[in-house]
Amino acid sequence: MKQLMLGNEAVARGLYEAGCRLVSGYPGTPSTEITETVANYPEVYCEWAPNEKVALEAAFGASLAGARAACTMKHVGLNVAADPLFTLSYTGVNGGLVICVADDPGMHSSQNEQDSRHYAIAAKVPMLEPADAAESRDFAMRAFALSEQFDTPVILRMCTRISHSQSLVETGAREETPLRPYVKNPQKYIMAPANAIRRHPVVEARTRALTAFAETCDLNRLEMPGERAKLGIICSGTCYQYVREVFGNSQSQENSVGILKLGLVNPLPETLIRDFAARVDRLVVIEELDPVIETHVRAMGLAVEGKNLFPLEGEFSQNTVRKAFGLPLPPSVAAEPSIPVRPPVMCAGCPHRGMFYVLSRHKVTVIGDIGCYTLGMAQPLQAVDSVLCMGASVSGIHGFNKVGGKETEGKTVAVIGDSTFMHSGMTGLVNISYNASNSTVIILDNSITGMTGHQQNPSTGYNIHGDPATKVDLEVFCHAIGIQRVRVVDPYDLAACEQVLSEELAFEGPSVIISRRPCVLLKYVKPKMPVVIDRESCRGCKKCMKLGCPAIHMEGGRAAVDDTLCVGCGVCSQLCAFGAIREPSGGEQ
Amino acid sequence: METRNIMIVGVGGQGTLLASKLLGYLLCGEGFDVKVSEVHGMSQRGGSVVTYVRWGDCVASPIIDEGEADFVVSFEKLEAARWAPRLREGGLIIVNDRETDPMPVITGAAEYPHGVLDSLRERGVRVDAVDALTLACQAGSAKAVNLVLLGRLSRSFPDIPVEKWMDAIGACVKPRFVDMNKAAFTLGRESGGAEL
């Protein structure tokens, strides 16, 4: 029976059905649900790794031992995993190895819009790109077969609109694949120069073999209205769906459209493309982000269009295709001119808010990081100065202070969440300790990976299944690497935050402040009764509004609380000089 | 059948995902090809969220573009106005008659445009505004706004008997919340309002 599945769930299903034995991943939108879904299949060992490099290397180990294995990550995670990727291309695999990576065109939840296809080309590994959930399952399974047939890791490229769209999937039973025997083979698996020199030609021969495979395999598909077409479109993934949406019903003689739908996007089938080009009057590549296919086709000497018609930036849609070809758009009402934006905000009761309020009062420079606390950048707190990538806060403050000296030391902090600290903040902190940085790092420990929807990490004490696991003790870790001063503070206690922050900024040398309180959305965190505002005492000074709490607003010149949002954290009541905001007597709601 | 489209829009955390899950289940059960597209991650944190539900004989694109939506189901007035351009000619907006201030309004950087629904009506857009929060609370939970709005939406589907909707609720909602959600759905379906 067919069932509705997210693209990500379908990938997980494909991995499962193909007999995959190990999946390791790091959460990242839009890839997270692949791993979360695999975790529901008891036949597959599944885990959250501290970062994507560890995840890919764990999958490598499982492959070396003869198992089918996979790892999962978002596009920027592949940057972290790039080191093992490039050399895995040389070693090849034993059991099939699939790297699931999800791009985010339009940056719904990402810091850049990089195109993962460049990695497949650079690392010289095949890449599959499904166009709906059914293909997501099929291609995940095909990826294992390809991996073993050609002795290579295979990248399965998803994107937000495939990962997070549900469509119908026909599922099958799991096929157990026996472990391939592990045989010691230094020439293949030890990439010292003498061996790597011999492996590189193997990689090039493999690419030639894969290119020949691409010419005839059913992963690539020609859809022609007849012998010839006026317009020929090369596309893959979600772009294929937009093309079908626009041209699916317009196959007249005068206006015929042929489609070359690529499922294997690296390496490209040059003969197939040439034959297709010869059968169409006009050749256009439609691809989101970079002109990867277009550039290749042009280098083949063919007349091709693409980025002259389509943007390099953002997500496409059917109207993007209509506009590019000058087709009429469906009529619609004009947008209202003055609709305020509704950006994401820190939740009511978010433990990060108190610390960011104190930081904004101190007017310190805040080197930020990736997570919910990136939202500390938003109005009204505007407490964050920079956000680059996972871990860059801790490494960055070190460089900032080394050149800033007395100008910046004592006036700058790094902020990083517990999961991001585990991911790649730890090594930066070792650098701070080792190279004697006069820097203060604040670990915002909300005991979960928040932004991606609550995944466990090595500092939470639970594994992906929610079972108790070894808990990395942040204080002990900091001490062990040589940080003498480690302070723990409750971010709901503004006075304590003020005091600890002042003391640690004044201290000369490395220091860590652990701002610790679990995410208010965690099930075990019970909300308290909403605060009560005494409208008689409120003077309408708007000091409480400086917190940027979505549960507080002004009503008739006085502060008012939205009882459906307020969780009674009481941070606002600490700000009120008139005692107008009170915590009601009474315990949990 | 040509592809038809419902957009569900609201503010992160309001329960839009349950509404789309339920519609997906229902429409699959009717034998249609269905695509449901969601946005996860950062956008969920109190931001503007949008879900696309498309069904027909063969659905290609997972998203609904400007001028294509048969229905925009909105959990909040401002979001209804924000996404109104996605409505096709003759399409219907079903909106919870409530205002939730976005952060720029809370901080005073922007003003909430209070007359957005009237403005849409003046421009010929069909708007069915319903106080879904009050009806949801009557049913037993402020969180059941989504089911009130689906009940309202169900009036536009004369071919799908109410039992099918109830079956979908039973299949998609945690057992202990089924009765409350069915009550919210019924209130939304049967409460008075302009003939559309």
Side-chain angles (χ1 to χ4, degrees):
Chain A
M1 192 196 84
K2 285 189 175 181
Q3 59 191 62
L4 267 187
M5 277 187 169
L6 278 178
N8 280 348
E9 293 170 341
V11 170
R13 182 73 201 184
L15 298 175
Y16 162 80
E17 288 184 28
C20 181
R21 287 174 189 249
L22 177 142
V23 172
S24 187
Y26 185 80
T29 312
S31 71
T32 311
E33 298 81 6
I34 302 173
T35 321
E36 288 182 324
T37 306
V38 171
N40 296 327
Y41 297 116
E43 295 91 338
V44 188
Y45 171 80
C46 183
E47 66 181 18
W48 290 126
N51 67 35
E52 296 85 354
K53 173 175 150 69
V54 173
L56 176 49
E57 289 160 351
F60 153 71
S63 162
L64 188 66
R68 288 189 163 183
C71 60
T72 67
M73 60 200 66
K74 67 184 293 176
H75 61 327
V76 284
L78 193 52
N79 300 335
V80 180
D83 196 4
L85 170 68
F86 278 73
T87 307
L88 264 169
S89 174
Y90 278 37
T91 63
V93 302
N94 187 20
L97 175 52
V98 178
I99 299 161
C100 307
V101 58
D103 286 11
D104 189 16
M107 292 178 277
H108 294 278
S109 197
S110 299
Q111 66 269 39
N112 76 26
E113 212 169 10
Q114 70 187 49
D115 188 327
S116 290
R117 293 178 298 173
H118 295 296
Y119 272 111
I121 296 166
K124 306 183 181 195
V125 298
M127 175 180 263
L128 299 178
E129 183 171 28
D132 59 19
E135 280 193 356
S136 297
R137 167 191 169 270
D138 295 348
F139 284 14
M141 299 174 73
R142 295 289 294 273
F144 279 118
L146 266 184
S147 173
E148 288 166 1
Q149 182 184 347
F150 290 94
D151 190 9
T152 176
V154 175
I155 301 177
L156 181 68
R157 183 204 190 205
M158 304 291 287
C159 71
T160 301
R161 283 300 166 196
I162 304 298
S163 284
H164 286 166
S165 291
Q166 300 179 44
S167 56
L168 292 166
V169 180
E170 182 88 51
T171 59
R174 174 176 167 92
E175 270 193 42
E176 291 296 343
T177 48
L179 280 184
R180 293 175 159 207
Y182 169 68
V183 180
K184 185 164 177 161
N185 185 349
Q187 287 77 28
K188 183 169 177 341
Y189 293 119
I190 300 178
M191 282 305 94
N195 293 337
I197 286 167
R198 289 192 202 95
R199 289 297 297 179
H200 188 180
V202 175
V203 172
E204 300 304 335
R206 181 180 73 204
T207 298
R208 287 190 292 276
L210 274 160
T211 305
F213 170 82
E215 301 289 0
T216 54
C217 74
D218 61 355
L219 293 160
N220 301 324
R221 186 170 74 225
L222 209 54
E223 297 176 9
M224 289 291 283
E227 197 45 47
R228 290 194 60 81
K230 296 276 182 200
L231 173 64
I233 295 170
I234 304 176
C235 55
S236 67
T238 189
C239 289
Y240 168 72
Q241 303 295 2
Y242 304 141
V243 168
R244 270 212 317 154
E245 185 77 29
V246 174
F247 295 111
N249 300 318
S250 65
Q251 298 294 9
S252 61
Q253 275 301 318
E254 315 78 62
N255 192 22
S256 55
V257 179
I259 300 171
L260 174 54
K261 193 262 189 200
L262 297 175
L264 181 62
V265 293
N266 187 63
L268 291 172
E270 294 197 356
T271 306
L272 187 62
I273 291 170
R274 275 185 207 289
D275 292 348
F276 179 63
R279 292 171 64 187
V280 301
D281 296 343
R282 181 187 182 193
L283 184 65
V284 179
V285 176
I286 303 182
E287 52 193 328
E288 285 177 333
L289 304 179
D290 296 338
V292 173
I293 300 170
E294 180 191 353
T295 303
H296 190 107
V297 172
R298 185 166 295 117
M300 288 162 56
L302 295 172
V304 62
E305 296 174 79
K307 292 301 172 183
N308 56 322
L309 302 170
F310 288 88
L312 288 157
E313 309 88 352
E315 213 176 24
F316 292 0
S317 67
Q318 44 268 41
N319 275 355
T320 315
V321 177
R322 291 183 183 118
K323 282 177 197 160
F325 291 104
L327 299 170
L329 301 179
S332 63
V333 294
E336 289 279 333
S338 58
I339 296 180
V341 293
R342 190 185 298 276
V345 293
M346 283 190 276
C347 306
C350 176
H352 301 325
R353 181 175 284 107
M355 182 53 81
F356 276 117
Y357 175 75
V358 172
L359 291 172
S360 69
R361 287 217 351 131
H362 272 257
K363 298 195 172 18
V364 288
T365 302
V366 176
I367 316 290
D369 223 299
I370 307 283
C372 283
Y373 47 92
T374 303
L375 297 171
M377 72 182 183
Q379 283 187 329
L381 290 167
Q382 294 179 291
V384 178
D385 287 74
S386 89
V387 173
L388 182 66
C389 66
M390 298 286 284
S393 61
V394 185
S395 322
I397 190 177
H398 170 73
F400 195 76
N401 281 338
K402 278 294 174 189
V403 299
K406 294 289 171 227
E407 287 297 309
T408 63
E409 290 170 352
K411 300 173 193 133
T412 309
V413 297
V415 295
I416 184 166
D418 49 305
S419 187
T420 309
F421 183 73
M422 286 290 112
H423 178 283
S424 49
M426 297 192 297
T427 41
L429 194 60
V430 169
N431 194 40
I432 281 180
S433 172
Y434 171 56
N435 285 312
S437 199
N438 184 7
S439 295
T440 301
V441 173
I442 301 174
I443 302 175
L444 299 167
D445 178 9
N446 66 348
S447 307
I448 202 71
T449 315
M451 182 60 86
T452 44
H454 284 182
Q455 290 75 33
Q456 305 294 342
N457 71 62
S459 72
T460 66
Y462 296 93
N463 66 16
I464 194 170
H465 303 292
D467 299 326
T470 296
K471 179 183 167 83
V472 174
D473 186 318
L474 294 175
E475 293 93 310
V476 171
F477 172 82
C478 293
H479 285 307
I481 63 167
I483 307 287
Q484 307 284 332
R485 289 177 72 96
V486 181
R487 309 283 298 272
V488 180
V489 67
D490 178 359
Y492 277 2
D493 185 342
L494 295 182
C497 290
E498 286 275 359
Q499 186 186 343
V500 168
L501 181 67
S502 299
E503 288 172 8
E504 295 316 306
L505 287 172
F507 173 73
E508 291 212 8
S511 66
V512 169
I513 299 169
I514 300 173
S515 173
R516 178 170 289 150
R517 184 171 270 276
C519 172
V520 70
L521 298 183
L522 283 165
K523 285 216 169 66
Y524 67 81
V525 177
K526 298 295 174 205
K528 294 205 291 186
M529 295 293 285
V531 295
V532 177
I533 295 187
D534 176 6
R535 288 180 67 83
E536 297 298 310
S537 310
C538 175
R539 308 278 180 90
C541 72
K542 296 189 179 175
K543 186 146 190 216
C544 53
M545 303 294 291
K546 294 199 166 119
L547 285 170
C549 177
I552 313 176
H553 59 280
M554 299 301 285
E555 240 175 58
R558 298 282 183 273
V561 163
D562 182 340
D563 287 351
T564 64
L565 290 176
C566 179
V567 296
C569 76
V571 171
C572 54
S573 67
Q574 297 168 47
L575 288 186
C576 184
F578 309 103
I581 310 179
R582 292 167 199 159
E583 298 182 42
S585 53
E588 292 171 353
Q589 197 172 30
Chain B
M1 190 190 91
E2 204 174 307
T3 300
R4 301 190 71 198
N5 305 299
I6 301 173
M7 281 183 77
I8 304 166
V9 303
V11 179
Q14 282 187 325
T16 52
L17 286 183
L18 174 63
S20 60
K21 181 180 170 190
L22 210 147
L23 285 169
Y25 181 91
L26 178 80
L27 294 163
C28 277
E30 295 293 298
F32 292 114
D33 185 24
V34 177
K35 281 190 176 167
V36 179
S37 190
E38 309 158 355
V39 170
H40 301 218
M42 189 169 210
S43 316
Q44 281 186 302
R45 298 279 174 260
S48 171
V49 293
V50 51
T51 302
Y52 307 106
V53 179
R54 313 192 73 207
W55 74 104
D57 290 338
C58 182
V59 180
S61 170
I63 65 185
I64 299 168
D65 220 321
E66 289 199 352
E68 292 186 337
D70 296 278
F71 303 93
V72 171
V73 177
S74 179
F75 287 52
E76 200 272 345
K77 282 158 69 174
L78 188 61
E79 296 310 309
R82 187 188 314 284
W83 296 102
R86 299 290 173 106
L87 210 60
R88 70 164 169 80
E89 277 187 336
L92 173 66
I93 293 181
I94 296 169
V95 54
N96 179 23
D97 199 1
R98 290 277 164 167
E99 296 180 357
T100 302
D101 288 348
M103 193 50 69
V105 172
I106 290 177
T107 61
E111 275 197 39
Y112 194 106
H114 296 290
V116 282
L117 296 187
D118 291 337
S119 163
L120 285 168
R121 287 189 182 108
E122 279 162 21
R123 290 188 288 152
V125 178
R126 295 162 68 223
V127 179
D128 178 16
V130 55
D131 185 355
L133 182 62
T134 299
L135 295 176
C137 290
Q138 270 180 39
S141 168
K143 290 183 177 168
V145 163
N146 45 13
L147 268 295
V148 174
L149 294 173
L150 286 183
R152 205 75 183 172
L153 176 71
S154 72
R155 301 176 355 157
S156 298
F157 290 75
D159 295 343
I160 303 181
V162 68
E163 297 76 38
K164 294 278 186 71
W165 290 88
M166 292 300 177
D167 290 349
I169 295 171
C172 298
V173 172
K174 282 186 185 150
R176 63 194 170 109
F177 296 125
V178 166
D179 289 343
M180 188 269 290
N181 277 296
K182 285 184 175 175
F185 176 87
T186 304
L187 283 171
R189 184 178 171 94
E190 294 176 358
S191 62
E195 202 56 43
L196 291 157

